[in-house]
Amino acid sequence: MRATLATLLSFVIVASLTACGGDDETPPPVARERQAPPPPPGVEAVDDARLVAAGGEKESWLTYGRTYDEQRYSPLAQIDAENVAQLGLAFSYDTHTTRGLEATPIVVGGVIYTTGSWSIVYAVDAKTGKEIWRYDPQVPGEFGPKACCDVVNRGVAVYKGKVYVGALDGRLIALDAKTGIPAWEKLTVDQSKPYTVTMAPRVVKGKVIIGNGGAELGVRGYVSAYDAESGELVWRFYTVPGDPKQPQENPALDKALPTWTGDVWHQVGGGGTVWDAIAFDPELDLLYVGTGNGSPWSRHIRSPQGGDNLYVCSILALRPDTGELVWHYQTTPADTWDYTSTQHIMLADLEIGGAARKVLMQAPKNGFFYVLDRATGELISAEDYVEVTWATGIDKATGRPIEAPGADYRENSVVVRPSTLGGHNWQPMSFNPELGLVYIPANDIPWAFGVDEDFRHKPGQWNLGVSAKIASEMPRDIVSGRLIAWDPVGQKKVWEVPYPEAWNGGTLATAGGLVFQGTAHGTFAAYDAASGKKLWEMAAGTGVMAGPTSYELDGEQYVAVMAGWGGAFGLAGGDAAASAHELAGKNQNDGRLLVFKLGGTAQIPVTAAIAREVAAIAGDLDPEKVKLGTYAYHTWCWECHGIGGVAGGVLPDLRTSTLFFSDALEPIVFEGSLAAKGMPNLSAWVTKEDLELIRIYITAKRNELAAKQAGGAAPAPSTDAAPAAAGGR
Ligand code: CA
């Protein structure tokens, strides 16, 4: 793979020699009378009519999925299969972050509005990359550990002069689009609970729609609508019932309550968080949201006497004015595998069986591609888009999955596909309506499930109800990914591009007959939309997860994407995530906005890796203590520092961390001395004895690494030695 990257880099240099020349054509006589084309109207002129008609604006990308139907299809065709080989970097903009970047850039009025780690918002000139303003909401570092899946943010919404961002700590903030100065901010969550916000808000009929996450730690899910002008709360829809002894907030929850049993769910929160997908059909006046997994994960603990647990892992159709539930479709009743239905919801009008159907499409984590009638929620079809072992299919009559024998891990632990990371996760899909194909960034990852026999609710900590020890024993070298072109009418794969790594980027489809996608191994690529043939690829400096955007300015088409490795897999993926990061070049994971155009000649600045000698530590490696340390580590540390002690390339790898093997360790763990950087104070949970066992385990893993590297290999870089760049927490 190194040779491949070297080849790519040499291609960049070649591409830089093919810049377009200037336009020296003599202007025709009428040119003096002709006015320069008016600049595309900015955020001040984004209203409901313009959002509904967003598909026609070539110079803009007005909402997260480009259009309310979230198809992510650009009508631009200047860059096509014939000339894409001449694509090069127009400019890059450094976010000064070293954590995951997941935002889809919004483009309007010649300005890119995007976000980075810790919910920082950037306004950048869409032609030059010059910063116009940046806004740091100053999210306190102690909110970092509440985020299951890195301190990421998926972008902003824009409307009538304002830019809206959901901050990790649960604030919804409206900024003046011209200055980046806050107009108002509202707290959308109870900050004493482990809620976080990472999703991009959407503006629908003058209301800002925003949900939240936190179901791994334990919260009750909901989605809210705030008045875009004043910030007042208009409605809130809870997705799971509240205290069963109290009246429920709405009739839909009265119906849901009998589908829950026991009382652990209420104590932990129940889950069903709305943390990503939203779509809107203005004609049907329906707002679609996806809900997350049950909390805790294991249904045997969450709802011991059974029940579907409405409305977890569901697609909900709500009235945008009131939040009233019109219909629901639960993709995974009684979920016990973290099979969220928060993944991309896409709307399209398809001809199926000779009839025009208004459909909703989703490829949720559970591995099935669903096509629903979006007026009624009726199942039209569902087939597996990756290998699925937990169910043998979806019953067309009932719309329910047919669970495979043994997938329920109440009695015996079992390896299941897809994993908790999903056959597909939040990485956006895209749709080419000409070809009728959906482009799915898919994962092939197995997961070992077993019940956590010693489960007790630990407020504010991870509360999965599944055995992390069993998960830690999974072989990690059988992880891969794929780009799949899916025919939603025939419910079949048309082509695929295999990847050696999982967790590749979101996709963009264009009228130029192309599909763009970033990769976990640190490149940005273009494929032929009809055949999947790779037409172009360029090194991106680090792993790319985010969904790309395209826009046109002064007659030139641009393609923009955020590059910054991380997210759930980047943090916890262990060896597999680390190998993707290694392929990406080990460059300290500097975050950037990358913008490409034909003939672009800019270069990505590469930061040299900081390699440090790892001091030899003599540890007490009593095998029994190493074993106990394995359990302690996989109780308190693995979610951020990686399964098996192997970090995914985002947060410090403890094996090579000089801080871990220093006197600073106890103040870090017991006094919160790194709380501002996101490392929680664990004094309420971890004992000195636990920490000593964790130290012994990590010492064993460090020695293992040293043995692997013996023979003159360079010492591994220590990620906690990275310089604290501005904003680079
Ligand atoms: Ca989850």
Side-chain angles (χ1 to χ4, degrees):
M1 290 312 292
R2 293 219 173 279
T4 308
L5 284 175
T7 311
L8 289 167
L9 285 166
S10 63
F11 172 72
V12 174
I13 294 159
V14 174
S16 72
L17 301 173
T18 60
C20 294
D23 180 5
D24 58 358
E25 191 187 340
T26 308
V30 291
R32 289 170 61 195
E33 289 162 28
R34 200 190 289 149
Q35 295 294 310
V43 176
E44 68 283 356
V46 175
D47 57 12
D48 295 302
R50 201 166 156 200
L51 281 168
V52 168
E57 289 198 24
K58 289 185 167 185
E59 69 277 11
S60 310
W61 187 287
L62 286 183
T63 183
Y64 184 69
R66 190 171 192 275
T67 43
Y68 275 142
D69 56 20
E70 302 264 326
Q71 289 187 358
R72 289 180 178 260
Y73 176 70
S74 168
L76 297 173
Q78 183 181 75
I79 303 168
D80 61 20
E82 299 300 314
N83 62 23
V84 68
Q86 291 147 36
L87 201 60
L89 192 68
F91 60 85
S92 67
Y93 168 81
D94 200 327
T95 57
H96 300 288
T97 57
T98 54
R99 302 284 293 264
L101 299 183
E102 298 187 352
T104 294
I106 298 295
V107 187
V108 54
V111 179
I112 294 174
Y113 300 92
T114 189
T115 63
S117 319
W118 298 100
S119 331
I120 297 172
V121 186
Y122 309 90
V124 175
D125 186 299
K127 210 172 154 182
T128 65
K130 190 170 173 290
E131 182 178 294
I132 297 168
W133 53 258
R134 65 184 254 154
Y135 169 76
D136 183 347
Q138 299 290 334
V139 171
E142 56 262 35
F143 282 85
K146 291 185 179 185
C148 67
C149 309
D150 205 354
V151 293
V152 292
N153 187 280
R154 280 179 223 101
V156 299
V158 295
Y159 186 69
K160 293 189 177 174
K162 294 189 179 71
V163 175
Y164 302 90
V165 64
L168 189 74
D169 56 12
R171 286 173 293 156
L172 174 62
I173 304 168
L175 304 171
D176 182 301
K178 291 243 184 294
T179 62
I181 294 169
W184 53 257
E185 68 172 56
K186 295 286 168 182
L187 191 56
T188 70
V189 302
D190 174 351
Q191 285 184 323
S192 73
K193 301 206 164 83
Y195 284 106
T196 50
V197 175
T198 58
M199 68 182 286
R202 315 290 204 282
V203 177
V204 171
K205 298 175 81 176
K207 289 173 272 292
V208 188
I209 313 297
I210 185 98
N212 47 60
E216 269 57 61
L217 290 83
V219 295
R220 183 184 181 203
Y222 59 87
V223 58
S224 311
Y226 290 84
D227 183 273
E229 180 58 33
S230 70
E232 293 308 309
L233 180 67
V234 181
W235 55 257
R236 173 163 294 170
F237 182 82
Y238 284 96
T239 60
V240 298
D243 187 344
K245 296 178 197 72
Q246 302 293 325
Q248 300 301 308
E249 287 88 347
N250 60 59
L253 291 175
D254 291 329
K255 282 186 195 153
L257 189 57
T259 70
W260 294 76
T261 56
D263 56 8
V264 169
W265 63 272
H266 175 56
Q267 194 186 49
V268 178
T273 47
V274 178
W275 59 259
D276 193 58
I278 290 186
F280 173 52
D281 183 330
E283 207 179 306
L284 295 172
D285 195 34
L286 288 174
L287 178 75
Y288 304 97
V289 308
T291 71
N293 54 281
S295 179
W297 283 359
S298 167
R299 64 186 176 204
H300 319 311
I301 292 169
R302 186 177 73 239
S303 191
Q305 284 83 52
D308 283 351
N309 296 177
L310 292 172
Y311 301 92
V312 305
C313 304
S314 298
I315 296 161
L316 308 178
L318 306 172
R319 286 285 172 226
D321 291 328
T322 60
E324 177 204 352
L325 180 67
V326 177
W327 59 255
H328 76 275
Y329 180 87
Q330 192 174 37
T331 55
T332 309
D335 166 50
T336 197
W337 309 274
D338 187 21
Y339 284 159
T340 68
S341 230
T342 47
Q343 281 58 49
H344 190 163
I345 291 175
M346 183 191 283
L347 315 180
D349 295 344
L350 300 179
E351 192 181 311
I352 299 176
R357 302 292 299 260
K358 289 180 182 300
V359 309
L360 177 155
M361 300 183 280
Q362 189 187 48
K365 277 190 187 177
N366 75 12
F368 290 96
F369 189 98
Y370 291 85
V371 179
L372 307 181
D373 181 315
R374 71 173 179 269
T376 63
E378 174 209 348
L379 175 70
I380 295 173
S381 61
E383 295 296 338
D384 46 323
Y385 63 91
V386 288
E387 186 185 352
V388 171
T389 65
W390 71 278
T392 56
I394 307 296
D395 184 318
K396 299 301 181 298
T398 63
R400 296 176 68 90
I402 305 153
E403 278 190 31
D408 180 320
Y409 50 88
R410 187 189 302 254
E411 304 297 338
N412 299 305
S413 60
V414 62
V415 173
V416 163
R417 285 173 184 269
S419 76
T420 68
L421 290 148
H424 165 230
N425 207 301
W426 61 268
Q427 285 87 341
M429 310 187 296
S430 57
F431 180 59
N432 182 320
E434 306 298 322
L435 297 170
L437 294 177
V438 178
Y439 303 99
I440 312 168
N443 298 312
D444 291 293
I445 309 172
W447 198 266
F449 283 95
V451 174
D452 175 5
E453 304 292 351
D454 303 320
F455 178 80
R456 66 187 166 102
H457 181 218
K458 304 183 291 281
Q461 298 295 317
W462 281 57
N463 287 287
L464 303 181
V466 302
S467 169
K469 181 162 74 72
I470 288 169
S472 76
E473 287 158 7
M474 275 296 306
R476 309 302 300 170
D477 55 354
I478 44 176
V479 170
S480 61
R482 277 185 274 168
L483 168 61
I484 298 174
W486 190 261
D487 166 9
V489 176
Q491 283 282 18
K492 61 178 194 295
K493 181 172 66 191
V494 173
W495 54 257
E496 70 171 21
V497 175
Y499 287 120
E501 312 293 340
W503 211 244
N504 298 286
T507 66
L508 163 72
T510 72
L514 300 173
V515 180
F516 290 91
Q517 186 186 27
T519 68
H521 57 273
T523 66
F524 190 59
Y527 301 92
D528 183 289
S531 69
K533 185 183 173 209
K534 190 198 289 178
L535 301 172
W536 171 85
E537 189 170 25
M538 187 170 150
T542 185
V544 180
M545 309 181 286
T549 290
S550 191
Y551 58 94
E552 183 182 281
L553 280 178
D554 298 336
E556 280 189 300
Q557 182 183 357
Y558 295 82
V559 177
V561 72
M562 303 301 293
W565 179 238
F569 186 68
L571 292 188
D575 279 320
S579 78
H581 183 61
E582 187 168 338
L583 288 169
K586 264 189 180 159
N587 68 347
Q588 301 295 328
N589 201 23
D590 290 329
R592 290 186 191 92
L593 163 70
L594 302 177
V595 179
F596 303 88
K597 67 172 184 176
L598 292 175
T601 59
Q603 304 271 335
I604 296 169
V606 175
T607 310
I610 301 169
R612 296 177 58 151
E613 289 293 339
V614 179
I617 306 287
D620 174 1
L621 298 185
D622 174 345
E624 187 58 27
K625 287 188 174 170
V626 172
K627 197 171 109 190
L628 292 171
T630 307
Y631 300 161
Y633 175 86
H634 288 99
T635 303
W636 304 111
C637 315
W638 73 276
E639 294 96 339
C640 295
H641 294 288
I643 284 177
V646 183
V650 179
L651 290 182
D653 188 304
L654 299 184
R655 300 170 304 167
T656 58
S657 162
T658 45
L659 281 178
F660 183 86
F661 291 103
S662 78
D663 294 342
L665 182 62
E666 289 204 6
I668 290 169
V669 176
F670 299 133
E671 294 162 29
S673 64
L674 283 185
K677 290 188 123 192
M679 168 68 202
N681 180 335
L682 292 171
S683 56
W685 306 104
V686 176
T687 64
K688 285 207 173 195
E689 291 70 34
D690 289 333
L691 185 60
E692 179 55 16
L693 293 170
I694 291 166
R695 196 187 66 80
I696 290 167
Y697 169 65
I698 292 297
T699 303
K701 298 300 286 186
R702 188 186 65 77
N703 292 348
E704 203 176 279
L705 176 69
K708 221 192 254 182
Q709 291 181 339
S718 170
T719 42
D720 62 9
R729 297 186 281 185

